[in-house]
Amino acid sequence: MKKIIAVDGPAGAGKSTVSKICAARLGYTYIDTGAMYRAVALKCLLSGKSVDENLIGDIDIRLDNSARVFLDGREVTKEIRTPEVSRAASDVAKFGFVRKKLTELQREMAAQGSVIMDGRDIGTQVLPNADLKIFLTATVEERARRRFAELKSKGLAADLAQIEKEITLRDKQDSEREIAPLAQAVDAILLDSTHLTIEQVVAEILRLAGV
């Protein structure tokens, strides 16, 4: 059975949802790297400062087995899921020193045992020797619909057309950034979730993992 699983893909493809479920069923540790970049973005927003090496030099980001996120000792699980933080996360991810810092933390987490890690560059940069690499995607329209439904379910204001524009922009930024751009690893398996349920995606990943 595969011990280190990397799940990459664009925003809204369902990476976090299915990775979390797969990790629970396999008894693996789930590592949401996107949440880590969101935590950096939140720290910048709260401080009112632009990201720099001093700001994140001693940053403390932790994820527990309940998918809770802690920034400098304080739980920020809900705070990092706002549209404002989402936009800022894409910006901070452009900086090499940010990616270097978080990659170090992510590799330390992966070295502790069997893990499922999701993000944008896990199979290409963070864990290039992962036992199984998945590139999970879906159409822009479907990803926008899912994000819209998620925000509405939380009682947050949402505009479907605006969300679609933001996801399209996020795809462009993630794919074209100079450092560690979003890309499918040559040995990754493409999995399009546009017309699949969450359970169908989970079942396919578990099958590929050898369960």
Side-chain angles (χ1 to χ4, degrees):
M1 191 161 63
K2 309 299 184 183
K3 296 296 185 181
I4 305 295
I5 302 175
V7 181
D8 287 310
K15 300 184 300 297
S16 297
T17 300
V18 300
S19 295
K20 191 183 306 179
I21 296 172
C22 288
R25 293 188 185 177
L26 290 168
Y28 287 10
T29 298
Y30 166 57
I31 302 172
D32 180 358
T33 65
M36 298 175 74
Y37 283 97
R38 287 169 177 269
V40 173
L42 178 62
K43 181 161 186 171
C44 293
L45 291 171
L46 292 176
S47 69
K49 300 178 182 178
S50 299
V51 63
D52 60 36
E53 293 185 71
N54 291 328
L55 186 68
I56 69 162
D58 60 350
I59 194 170
D60 178 26
I61 302 173
R62 292 186 295 110
L63 294 85
D64 69 11
N65 288 334
S66 298
R68 295 183 301 170
V69 182
F70 295 83
L71 171 62
D72 296 332
R74 184 173 69 87
E75 185 180 355
V76 295
T77 309
K78 292 183 179 179
E79 288 180 67
I80 64 171
R81 296 299 173 183
T82 66
E84 182 183 17
V85 173
S86 294
R87 290 189 290 269
S90 187
D91 291 333
V92 301
K94 298 175 185 177
F95 293 91
F97 60 86
V98 173
R99 303 201 73 85
K100 181 176 183 294
K101 176 71 175 181
L102 295 193
T103 295
E104 290 172 357
L105 294 176
Q106 291 154 11
R107 286 175 176 166
E108 288 174 6
M109 294 176 185
Q112 295 175 12
S114 298
V115 303
I116 294 182
M117 186 180 295
D118 75 62
R120 303 289 195 281
D121 63 345
I122 310 306
T124 56
Q125 301 291 329
V126 182
L127 300 175
N129 296 318
D131 298 311
L132 172 63
K133 300 178 186 178
I134 302 290
F135 192 84
L136 185 64
T137 190
T139 63
V140 171
E141 294 78 11
E142 176 61 15
R143 288 185 279 136
R145 186 195 65 77
R146 292 173 184 174
R147 180 62 174 160
F148 175 81
E150 177 188 7
L151 292 172
K152 296 296 285 186
S153 71
K154 295 178 179 178
L156 299 174
D159 180 275
L160 183 58
Q162 181 60 32
I163 292 173
E164 188 171 323
K165 288 180 182 178
E166 290 180 355
I167 287 179
T168 300
L169 176 60
R170 181 74 180 272
D171 286 352
K172 180 178 174 61
Q173 291 176 329
D174 288 345
S175 300
E176 296 181 356
R177 66 178 176 233
E178 185 175 345
I179 301 171
L182 168 67
Q184 181 179 341
V186 294
D187 53 346
I189 297 171
L190 179 64
L191 182 52
D192 190 331
S193 69
T194 303
H195 302 295
L196 299 177
T197 64
I198 291 172
E199 187 55 39
Q200 286 173 324
V201 176
V202 168
E204 179 61 10
I205 292 177
L206 293 178
R207 184 189 70 79
L208 292 169
V211 177

